[in-house]
Amino acid sequence: MAEAAEPAPRRLWIRNPLAILAPGAEGGIVVQGTRIVELVAAGARPAAPVDETFDASRHVVIPGLINTHHHAFQTLTRAHPIAINKPLFPWLKALYTIWGRITPEAFRLATRVAYTELLLSGCTTAGDHHYLFPKGLEDSVDVQVDEARNLGIRAFITRGSMSLSDREGGLPPHALTQDDDTILSDSERVLNLFHDPAPGAMVQIGLAPCSPFAVTQRLMRESADLAARHGCRLHTHLGETLDEDAYCQSMFQCRPVEYLEEVGWLNDRVWLAHGIHFNDAEVARLGKAGVGVCHCPTSNMTLASGHCRTCELEAAGSPVGLGVDGSASNDSSNLMEGVRHAVMLSRLTYGAEAVTHLDALRWATEGSAACLGRTDIGRIEVGREADLALFTLDELRFSGAHDPLAALVLCGATRADRVMVAGRWRVIDGQPVGVDVGRLREDHSRLAVALFGGA
């Protein structure tokens, strides 16, 4: 007997939203399986029958936000007394002294907290740059993949690394570093195990040597070769502080962008975190090469690192995305909050009319997708993945707001009411599906205090 055909995926009409960030979809969108299959015009109905509807008349609908830079393990050391009120290098040196205490259990909970926070803020793709592999955390990438799959969030995990310790002229202590061969071997392992290059992928892997002051030139070059063989992307911190500029001049006799080119990283498979201290010529070189930049406004303000040249980079041809950065420099994992901060910081830099709420939302969606090399997420359009964030404007902070999309950003939305990832609801009525948030907070806080409370 012939096998019975698989039933067609059910068609869901997300109907008549209060507002939606998609021209021509004022009547809503139709989702079938993991994808958007129809945009419905104002006053119209779907072209084909639907199996169910969701009344979105109270909701502002935007594409799921895409986080392109984070350090999930840092949720355990938020607002820590030894690190607050410091710029980057002293901040790092202080926290290096305690980060080696993280246990496997604490790391798993730290990741779960970060992913859950991101999801609740309307984020559907969680990028994380994990570079800390002390003894016992060798399988950190495996843990992060497992946690992402359990939560149902799309993940882009970069296998980070530190191999240049303070003994060799780097910044991190020797106990927190690995040798280049160990890093390269594990990088290939996790690429073979987890990297999915196909459209609609739920897990992708990139390679992310931490920064010029934490890795060898050999590791940078061989990571680039490995990424080319596997067709994956590359990520690192660059241009974050003036201290980094001075370090590169002293250690490599060149500026950070020159260093990037020297090690084979000046190409469109690369995106950088922060990208603050680039001069005009460097902005042009990065744009010509198609190197992306993740703007991390909240962290940059916390550490007083400076202003990312978002408008110049984008005009030069660099994709610009957004990231929350580490929870110990942001002290939050809320990307919607980061969207608002991107507007405010950009207006201090460029003026009141240069950057709008729509620009910042675009950076957090389309721009971030471009940094990750993805064309299947980041917009509400037919054929793209059904990754959506739905916000209500029921809180007092929104009372009197006249433009719903502008209100999300300017009035300070922080928590989504509904979040859909790959066609499935992952947040319902402001609660993550399958997560006991109270228990998670208690367990995570207990370990944070036990491991780091006496530092």
Side-chain angles (χ1 to χ4, degrees):
M1 282 181 67
E3 291 185 7
E6 285 284 332
R10 294 174 64 82
R11 287 167 55 86
L12 167 67
W13 178 19
I14 299 174
R15 179 169 58 88
N16 298 332
L18 178 64
I20 186 167
L21 191 58
E26 292 77 13
I29 59 177
V30 179
V31 172
Q32 186 171 14
T34 71
R35 296 187 178 182
I36 298 166
V37 295
E38 186 179 350
L39 305 185
V40 181
R45 296 185 62 83
V50 298
D51 301 292
E52 54 185 312
T53 63
F54 174 76
D55 180 5
S57 58
R58 294 173 50 245
H59 293 87
V60 181
V61 182
I62 63 174
L65 305 179
I66 300 168
N67 183 54
T68 54
H69 187 66
H70 198 15
H71 309 296
F73 74 90
Q74 292 181 12
T75 60
L76 293 158
T77 54
R78 295 194 245 231
H80 200 288
I82 67 170
I84 56 176
N85 307 323
K86 288 182 170 67
L88 179 67
F89 275 23
W91 173 87
L92 274 172
K93 287 179 178 179
L95 288 170
Y96 282 154
T97 65
I98 62 173
W99 278 342
R101 302 177 194 170
I102 295 176
T103 63
E105 180 190 9
F107 177 71
R108 182 174 287 277
L109 287 176
T111 297
R112 192 177 304 164
V113 163
Y115 285 173
T116 302
E117 281 187 279
L118 286 169
L119 193 62
L120 288 171
S121 75
C123 181
T124 52
T125 299
D128 193 70
H129 179 184
H130 183 68
Y131 56 80
L132 193 72
F133 293 85
K135 189 174 181 180
L137 293 186
E138 292 86 356
D139 64 347
S140 294
V141 173
D142 310 59
V143 170
Q144 292 201 305
V145 170
D146 187 49
E147 287 297 317
R149 287 174 172 166
N150 289 339
L151 194 59
I153 196 168
R154 209 179 293 277
F156 198 114
I157 300 163
T158 57
R159 203 291 183 189
S161 50
M162 296 193 296
S163 66
L164 189 70
S165 76
D166 49 6
R167 297 179 185 179
E168 296 84 38
L171 203 66
H174 184 74
L176 297 185
T177 62
Q178 295 177 301
D179 65 78
D180 290 348
D181 291 331
T182 298
I183 292 165
L184 291 164
S185 175
D186 192 59
S187 295
E188 188 141 36
R189 180 186 72 85
V190 297
L191 281 167
N192 288 331
L193 275 177
F194 303 123
H195 181 57
D196 181 0
M202 290 298 292
V203 175
Q204 292 190 323
I205 302 294
L207 302 183
C210 187
S211 62
F213 50 82
V215 298
T216 65
Q217 289 174 285
R218 177 202 165 198
L219 184 60
M220 291 290 285
R221 291 192 179 98
E222 294 195 22
S223 293
D225 292 341
L226 185 58
R229 292 199 301 274
H230 282 265
C232 76
R233 298 185 82 75
L234 293 162
H235 183 51
T236 193
H237 299 87
L238 203 80
E240 184 174 1
T241 66
L242 293 173
D243 284 340
E244 181 193 305
D245 283 2
Y247 178 89
C248 287
Q249 293 278 15
S250 172
M251 191 77 168
F252 309 120
Q253 292 73 55
C254 64
R255 286 177 55 81
V257 174
E258 294 174 292
Y259 172 78
L260 199 71
E261 184 168 25
E262 185 177 320
V263 294
W265 278 53
L266 204 64
N267 60 68
D268 61 5
R269 288 195 310 278
V270 174
W271 90 99
L272 310 171
H274 301 290
I276 295 168
H277 297 286
F278 299 143
N279 61 36
D280 291 346
E282 290 165 342
V283 167
R285 289 171 73 183
L286 292 166
K288 184 177 180 180
V291 175
V293 174
C294 170
H295 177 32
C296 302
T298 309
S299 172
N300 292 349
M301 289 189 287
T302 299
L303 297 176
S305 299
H307 301 178
C308 177
R309 301 183 67 186
T310 49
C311 293
E312 292 96 330
L313 285 160
E314 197 167 42
S318 288
V320 172
L322 288 188
V324 295
D325 198 17
S327 280
S329 62
N330 178 325
D331 299 309
S332 172
S333 302
N334 191 313
L335 190 54
M336 194 65 203
E337 180 183 68
V339 171
R340 184 169 189 259
H341 288 166
V343 173
M344 304 306 177
L345 186 57
S346 294
R347 288 183 175 181
L348 282 176
T349 308
Y350 299 109
E353 298 179 354
V355 174
T356 71
H357 63 284
L358 295 176
D359 291 318
L361 286 168
R362 175 172 50 78
W363 290 339
T365 54
E366 292 179 64
S368 286
C371 284
L372 301 183
R374 299 193 66 154
T375 58
D376 57 338
I377 57 177
R379 292 186 64 176
I380 297 174
E381 67 179 24
V382 172
R384 298 239 182 180
E385 291 291 299
D387 290 4
L388 305 167
L390 285 68
F391 294 82
T392 63
L393 303 183
D394 297 343
E395 297 175 68
L396 194 59
R397 73 178 69 195
F398 301 112
S399 182
H402 297 272
D403 181 326
L405 283 167
L408 282 186
V409 179
L410 302 181
C411 300
T414 59
R415 186 158 180 163
D417 181 65
R418 287 248 173 176
V419 178
M420 175 178 283
V421 184
R424 298 183 64 182
W425 294 118
R426 296 299 185 178
V427 173
I428 297 176
D429 297 332
Q431 296 297 318
V433 175
V435 178
D436 183 337
V437 175
R439 175 67 182 274
L440 175 58
R441 183 189 178 281
E442 288 176 8
D443 291 346
H444 177 268
S445 181
R446 171 180 53 79
L447 282 173
V449 171
L451 292 169
F452 305 110

